[in-house]
Structure formats: structure tokens, C-alpha cells
Amino acid sequence: MSGTHHADHPYKTCTEVTPLCPVSATTLGYYPSKGFNIFFAVGFGLAGLITFILGTWKRTWSYMAFLTAGCMLELAGYAARVPLHDNPWNKDAFETQICAIILAPTLICISIYLTLKHVCLSLNPGLSRVRPGRYPFIFVPLDVSCLLVQAIGGALAASAGYNNQTLLHSGNRAIIAGITLQVVVLLFFGTSSVDYYLRVRKWIRDPAADPHAVALWNDRKFRIFIYAVTIAFSGILIRCIYRIAEMAGGWGNPIMQDEPSFIVLEGFMVVIPCLILAIFSPGFLFPEMAARMSASKKQKKEKSEEKSPATTQHPGSTREQESDKV
């Protein structure tokens, strides 16, 4: 049933749209489009399915796992928005969609971050300013930090309800901080990638350049993969910048209540990268990356099956194996 007016928060007990609980008083301020939300849910579901099938087939394990998880979380978020079309006061659906859609791109970013390591290893590791094997150990923890900060913010905001405005604002600030950190990490990754690209482009013209690297650099499939990752990266970056602007005004601000901007700058800016990353799979376009990931999983499996505690390792072998874990 709908709520009645209270002196402190007149919409505190609203559960459905009525004259006393208008749609304009909800956080979103509108009836979410059922058609677009079903479209996005299907798009993310399809991207996740394609990623899982091709990733399992070609054994791009970690790339597949993070991208699939991100797509499934997006699927859950947009599926939760569908019932909001019938009842914008549906608290459970609103909290599910806001948490899932805010957090999912962080997982998708991890798949993008993994590509830099394998590009460096396949072309010329020596040109990277950072040892290629360390890239995942730099970007993944930073990305997880973004995820945790946003998750904490979402939990605080959800627990605040209508009763604790201080806690609500604290949660909002945490979400903004997490998304802002994500933009910084994305820019750091983009800068590192561009720097490596410029160094390789100069080196590749040298007659002494490795023939295998030159062949890979000129390979049409490899270039398509790089273009696909670049487009996906750009889409996620645009989405994160939009989210900062959306959250900066607080819950229920004009940007948050503008559905067309949400559809374009949140929905399409994430579903397009997911579909691109799924369709232009490294298993087909960048076999070196797939082979390296498959070999890494095999090495870890063999290591886990070793029963002898007296197994010895050559000095330095541990560091070499660490660089190929992801």
C-alpha cells in the first residue's frame, strides 16, 4: 500500500505510485523503459554467453571469467529495472539495479587490463616501462579497490534509508570516490598503453626488429583485436565519467532523473564494449594470449597435483611463473 505524508519524510512508507506517492518523488523520477531494459538485459546475457563459450573453447580463462561475471551482473541489474516500469517504488528492484549496474563495469575493466600484459609479452617485453607480468598485479588490485569502495558506499546508502541522511550522504560520497578512482585507474592504463604503443611503433621500423613481432604487428586479426579493446576501453571510460556527474548531485538529482542520458551514457556505453569484447575474442584474434593463458592454467594444475614436499625449483623460476599467472 502507499504511504501517507509524514512531517520528516512524507514518502517514507510509499510502496506504489498513488496521488500521495507520485512517480516524480522516486529516486529515478520516471517509469524506466521496459523495452530498453529488456534489450540491455538480453544484450548482456548474449555477451556473457558468447564470452563463456568462446573463452572456455579457446581457454582464455581469466579474461573469460571476469568479462562473463561483469556481463551477468549487468544482466541482473537491467532485469531488476524491468519491474520498476510497473512500480518505480519497488525498493528491492531499485537497490538491486543500482548496486549491480554500478559495480559490474569494474569486473569488465579487469578483462581489458589483462590485455596489456599479453600484448607486451607478444611484441617486445623490453620496451615496456613495467615488467609485463606485473601489470595484472598493478591494475587488478587497484580495480578491486574501486569495487570495494563503491560496494561500501552502496551498502551505506542502502542501510541509511530515509532515516539517516548523514549515512546516506556518506554512502554517496564513497560511491563517487570509487568511480573517480576507477576513472584515474582507467586513465593510468590508457596512458601506459599509449606509451607502449608509441615505443613499439618506433621500434618496429628498425630493421633489427624481431620478425615474429613485425608479423604480429602487421597481422590484420591482431589489429582488429587492439581496435576492439580500444573501443571498449573508451566506452567504459565515458560511462565512468558520466557516473561521476550523475552521482555528484546526490540521489534524485536532474541527471539521475534523465532517462535518455542513462540509456546512452550508461546502457549503450557498457553493452557495446561487452558485445565487442565477446565477439572479437582473443581466442581467435590474438592466439598468443589464449595460448599463454591456457599454458598458465595447465602449469598451476600440474603444480597443485604435486605431492612430494621435496620438490625443488631453480632460482628465479618462481618469479617467472608469477608473471604468467593471469
Side-chain angles (χ1 to χ4, degrees):
M1 297 296 293
S2 63
T4 58
H5 285 277
H6 291 270
D8 50 350
H9 294 289
Y11 307 112
K12 180 178 179 180
T13 57
C14 289
T15 57
E16 62 183 30
V17 176
T18 68
L20 295 178
C21 298
V23 66
S24 60
T26 63
T27 302
L28 295 179
Y30 58 83
Y31 291 93
S33 168
K34 181 177 288 188
F36 270 113
N37 288 313
I38 292 176
F39 170 80
F40 286 131
V42 172
F44 284 114
L46 184 62
L49 181 62
I50 294 173
T51 300
F52 181 78
I53 292 175
L54 297 184
T56 302
W57 178 16
K58 294 299 181 177
R59 301 180 181 181
T60 52
W61 302 112
S62 51
Y63 178 90
M64 175 270 290
F66 287 113
L67 183 54
T68 301
C71 289
M72 292 301 100
L73 199 54
E74 290 281 3
L75 167 60
Y78 282 97
R81 285 180 66 88
V82 173
L84 287 176
H85 172 79
D86 298 317
N87 181 18
W89 285 104
N90 187 327
K91 180 181 178 182
D92 292 336
F94 174 77
E95 291 180 352
T96 298
Q97 65 92 29
I98 198 72
C99 291
I101 293 174
I102 283 179
L103 299 178
T106 308
L107 298 174
I108 299 167
C109 284
I110 295 179
S111 291
I112 295 176
Y113 296 149
L114 295 179
T115 61
L116 181 56
K117 165 194 168 181
H118 294 281
V119 169
C120 292
L121 289 174
S122 298
L123 290 173
N124 187 339
L127 292 177
S128 174
R129 296 185 187 275
V130 178
R131 185 176 177 182
R134 292 177 181 170
Y135 278 123
F137 297 100
I138 295 174
F139 290 111
V140 174
L142 287 174
D143 206 54
V144 172
S145 298
C146 302
L147 179 67
L148 293 176
V149 173
Q150 292 176 68
I152 292 172
L156 290 175
S159 62
Y162 288 96
N163 299 319
N164 193 331
Q165 290 298 303
T166 301
L167 190 61
L168 180 64
H169 293 318
S170 297
N172 188 48
R173 285 193 292 268
I175 293 174
I176 294 173
I179 299 174
T180 302
L181 178 60
Q182 191 170 9
V183 170
V184 172
V185 176
L186 280 165
L187 291 175
F188 178 31
F189 173 81
T191 301
S192 301
S193 300
V194 170
D195 175 70
Y196 183 75
Y197 165 76
L198 294 175
R199 293 162 70 87
V200 170
R201 188 177 67 170
K202 181 179 179 181
W203 169 78
I204 213 77
R205 298 170 182 169
D206 190 325
D210 178 54
H212 174 76
V214 174
L216 180 62
W217 178 266
N218 294 320
D219 184 72
R220 182 171 177 270
K221 291 183 178 179
F222 176 72
R223 285 183 172 271
I224 290 175
F225 177 73
I226 297 301
Y227 294 149
V229 173
T230 301
I231 293 172
F233 166 84
S234 301
I236 298 294
L237 178 60
I238 292 171
R239 172 266 174 194
C240 290
I241 294 173
Y242 158 74
R243 272 298 190 179
I244 294 175
E246 182 201 39
M247 296 300 299
W251 298 98
N253 70 79
I255 296 178
M256 187 176 290
Q257 294 190 344
D258 182 55
E259 187 177 28
S261 64
F262 176 86
I263 290 173
V264 174
L265 298 175
E266 172 66 48
F268 280 109
M269 288 300 106
V270 181
V271 75
I272 291 175
C274 285
L275 287 170
I276 287 176
L277 292 173
I279 295 171
F280 297 98
S281 168
F284 293 100
L285 303 179
F286 191 12
E288 289 88 347
M289 178 175 171
R292 201 174 290 112
M293 284 187 169
S294 179
S296 174
K297 184 175 178 66
K298 183 178 180 180
Q299 290 174 0
K300 284 191 278 188
K301 181 178 180 180
E302 291 175 350
K303 186 176 180 180
S304 66
E305 292 175 350
E306 292 177 355
K307 297 181 180 180
S308 173
T311 301
T312 59
Q313 282 186 318
H314 294 291
S317 62
T318 301
R319 290 195 301 272
E320 292 173 1
Q321 291 175 6
E322 285 291 322
S323 68
D324 289 330
K325 280 187 175 180
V326 184

